[in-house]
Amino acid sequence: MSSPALVRHPEDSMSAATAIAEAGPVPAPSPPATPPSFGTLALRWYRLNRAGLRATAIGIISLLAFLLVWHLLTTYRVVFFVRFTNVPSPLAVYASFTKAIHDPKFLLHILLSCRRILFGFSLAAVVGVPLGLIMGRFKLVHIIFPVAEVLRPIPAIAWVPMAIMLWPTNEQSIVFITFLGAFFPILVNTLHGMSLVDPVLVRAAQCLGARERSIFREVYFPASMPHIFTGLTVGMGVAWVSLIAAEMISGQYGIGYFTWEAYSLVQYADIALGMIAIGVLGLGSSLLIRGAGQLVMPWRLK
């Protein structure tokens, strides 16, 4: 015997047919969307990166303008308060560069300077950042700050005789001077970052039961991170200044020694080449630190 629920009435079939007729024909499936053309993708990329491209274009134009002014001043030997009679032209510096890149000694100068920067700056960061965090958190350790403030204004060149007496080799003394140049900016900026930490965040973490180590790791360190990387960037620039001064006085190799030797030998094109190499190396080092900061602090890009 059939169940009443399975019996289909003619009225139900007619109502279903009527509904289908009123709905109209079933639409055909739409064709797959075509991928955007290369021109469309290029236009989108340009709109997204318009500001960066404009800044890059302005930088290139300013660099070309600087080279043009440099070329004109040195070609016509302009003397107007500043004398350009002995300044080498950009073409002479380029010729010196093409000759120097095939000279293993020039590459050795660059490698040794980079190695000294790596050792001195790394040591300054390893010592300066934790010391600044501890001094900013515990006031008892802050008694070291007056000593640091007295030593900080002493220029790196004034440390050269003392460094030669303290360390047995010139290499160690140069690394020590590089360390001093980078240490104080890192320490001061880390202390400044610790002083700007919102105490409300600290009290909130304490109310939630966080211990001192967790507060230090989760509150103080992330809040001080932007100032720490500012100190690292400034410290890298001062480290290069200190290194060049030390290499000019007591070094036998390095890009600073190369520049000073070129001056002693009246090789003006090599002087400009050494200065440009110092600027490029310093810029590259600072860009590496800024890139590391963007990786560590992705929230600052928003």
Side-chain angles (χ1 to χ4, degrees):
M1 185 174 181
S2 302
S3 174
L6 299 177
V7 177
R8 300 186 61 183
H9 298 283
E11 293 82 359
D12 297 338
S13 301
M14 293 177 62
S15 60
T18 304
I20 294 174
E22 291 177 355
V26 179
S30 58
T34 58
S37 61
F38 176 77
T40 304
L41 293 176
L43 182 60
R44 291 177 183 176
W45 180 85
Y46 170 74
R47 290 176 178 175
L48 291 174
N49 300 275
R50 183 183 303 173
L53 292 175
R54 185 183 297 114
T56 303
I58 293 174
I60 294 175
I61 292 173
S62 63
L63 181 60
L64 293 176
F66 171 77
L67 292 175
L68 178 61
V69 173
W70 180 11
H71 174 73
L72 294 176
L73 291 175
T74 54
T75 300
Y76 294 100
R77 305 296 181 185
V78 176
V79 178
F80 184 74
F81 293 105
V82 181
R83 298 173 300 173
F84 290 91
T85 53
N86 293 324
V87 176
S89 65
L91 296 178
V93 176
Y94 178 75
S96 177
F97 169 73
T98 56
K99 179 182 177 182
I101 58 174
H102 297 93
D103 186 4
K105 191 174 181 180
F106 178 75
L107 300 178
L108 179 63
H109 287 309
I110 293 179
L111 290 177
L112 286 178
S113 294
C114 291
R115 188 183 70 175
R116 291 163 178 167
I117 281 289
L118 178 62
F119 289 165
F121 179 80
S122 300
L123 185 60
V126 169
V127 176
V129 173
L131 184 60
L133 294 173
I134 295 173
M135 290 172 60
R137 178 56 177 154
F138 305 105
K139 299 302 180 183
L140 182 61
V141 190
H142 208 270
I143 59 176
I144 308 175
F145 186 73
V147 179
E149 281 297 293
V150 172
L151 298 178
R152 184 171 61 90
I154 302 176
I157 194 172
W159 279 98
V160 173
M162 183 63 69
I164 294 175
M165 291 187 293
L166 288 173
W167 301 96
T169 63
N170 285 344
E171 188 70 19
Q172 294 174 352
S173 63
I174 292 174
V175 172
F176 173 72
I177 294 171
T178 306
F179 160 79
L180 288 178
F183 172 74
F184 292 107
I186 295 174
L187 177 66
V188 172
N189 279 274
T190 305
L191 278 172
H192 182 63
M194 289 290 289
S195 65
L196 295 180
V197 176
D198 192 353
V200 176
L201 299 177
V202 180
R203 290 196 296 268
Q206 292 173 346
C207 293
L208 294 174
R211 297 183 177 180
E212 184 65 32
R213 181 180 300 179
S214 299
I215 296 175
F216 204 85
R217 183 180 64 251
E218 303 295 338
V219 179
Y220 278 104
F221 188 64
S224 304
M225 194 81 71
H227 299 277
I228 291 174
F229 273 93
T230 300
L232 292 175
T233 305
V234 176
M236 177 59 76
V238 181
W240 274 106
V241 174
S242 305
L243 173 69
I244 299 306
E247 288 180 344
M248 285 184 174
I249 295 176
S250 63
Q252 295 179 352
Y253 289 96
I255 193 64
Y257 176 79
F258 170 82
T259 306
W260 183 256
E261 185 184 33
Y263 171 75
S264 302
L265 300 176
V266 200
Q267 297 175 351
Y268 299 128
D270 288 345
I271 297 175
L273 176 61
M275 295 173 61
I276 294 173
I278 294 168
V280 171
L281 292 173
L283 175 62
S285 304
S286 299
L287 290 178
L288 287 177
I289 296 176
R290 292 176 184 174
Q294 292 177 358
L295 292 177
V296 176
M297 301 178 295
W299 64 86
R300 289 181 62 84
L301 298 177
K302 298 179 181 181

